[in-house]
Amino acid sequence: MLTNKQKIKYLLDSILASGQKIQCTYCKSENCKEIDRKYLVTKLMECRNCHLYFRYPVDKQEENADFYQTEYQESDNITTDLPDPSLLKKMKDEGFTVGNKNADRYLDLFARLFPGEKSLRIIDYGSSWGYTSYQFKQAGHQVQGYEISRSRASYGIENLEVDICMDEKLLRKENHIFFSSHVIEHHPDIASMISLAESLLINGGYFVAFCPNGSPAFRLKNQETFHRFWGKVHPNFLNGDFYRHIFRNQPYYIGSSPINFENIHPLQLQESLTDDLSGEELLVITKFVKP
Ligand SMILES: [Zn+2]
């Protein structure tokens, strides 16, 4: 959620940048069409080549990093607000099982991808202050978080005793899973995020990403929510067609909330599975297999 001051700045920045060339932020194609619009000057574009939906005008990368360091605030008061000692103690005592930070469904998913493996190596990309990394660690996994905001990362390192890295170059390799939840829709360079994941995974490791769902099946049912979901804090709007296109040469599973866990299993080489995509949250799982 943006403050009024941030909204005005966003609008002015958008007007100033409205002469910017329209080009897909993923595949660089200039063959794009407008599919939604806000405040006259900000548009949601669809790339006709890779089907990414992206907000136009596009931010410069430095502006994006600066925004997350200083201005980013989610309205749920927990993603970016750091809990005081008494609240943190309560959350730890409850094992984060109460409220929206419970990671049980992710742990369930990992167990389905690697049945029988008790201790997986996991990267928690965009780990914020480490509440998810903490739960993965408590469950017996070896977790390394990555977080762009120094204050959130430091908080997690100090208070939850989790490993959170602030430099992508220092992330360790040979992981079973590269996990992210509500990160890819904010990322200024999706291609670099995916190639980072590939470089950090074992042969047969999985990229797992949750994010808001921009798929046409969701839009059809929830026109207003779809319109609300993209904007300053969500420059990308991910959808099933985009994932199917970019992961067409590797196994994948694409689904939406509520996730149909029975359909999640170790992916075979030729497997490409798309579930019902009309839910609010989109999930992609893809396996990187080296030739
Ligand atoms: Zn594209």
Side-chain angles (χ1 to χ4, degrees), residues 25 52 61 64 68 125 146 148 168 178 182-194 196 233-236 238:
T25 55
L52 179 68
Q61 292 217 8
N64 187 283
Y68 286 104
Y125 187 79
Y146 166 77
I148 190 170
E168 286 186 357
F178 182 99
H182 292 261
V183 173
I184 194 165
E185 69 273 25
H186 305 277
H187 205 290
D189 187 351
I190 291 175
S192 81
M193 175 176 163
I194 292 169
L196 174 73
V233 299
H234 295 160
N236 313 308
L238 287 304

Side-chain angles (χ1 to χ4, degrees), residues 24-29 31-32 47-52 54 242:
C24 172
T25 55
Y26 181 82
C27 73
K28 311 299 174 205
S29 167
N31 187 2
C32 305
C47 170
R48 286 196 172 96
N49 178 49
C50 74
H51 301 289
L52 179 68
F54 62 96
F242 172 70

Side-chain angles (χ1 to χ4, degrees), residues 157-171:
I157 295 164
E158 279 162 35
N159 295 289
L160 293 174
E161 291 164 11
V162 284
D163 176 8
I164 304 178
C165 195
M166 285 168 262
D167 181 354
E168 286 186 357
K169 292 182 203 77
L170 301 177
L171 286 167

Side-chain angles (χ1 to χ4, degrees), residues 137-150:
K137 191 178 164 188
Q138 293 293 107
H141 300 300
Q142 306 161 59
V143 194
Q144 188 177 38
Y146 166 77
E147 173 55 41
I148 190 170
S149 154
R150 283 182 291 275

Side-chain angles (χ1 to χ4, degrees), residues 36-44 227-231:
D36 201 2
R37 188 182 276 233
K38 281 183 186 176
Y39 318 115
L40 292 170
V41 283
T42 65
K43 302 171 187 175
L44 186 67
H227 180 70
R228 200 158 29 82
F229 269 178
W230 67 273

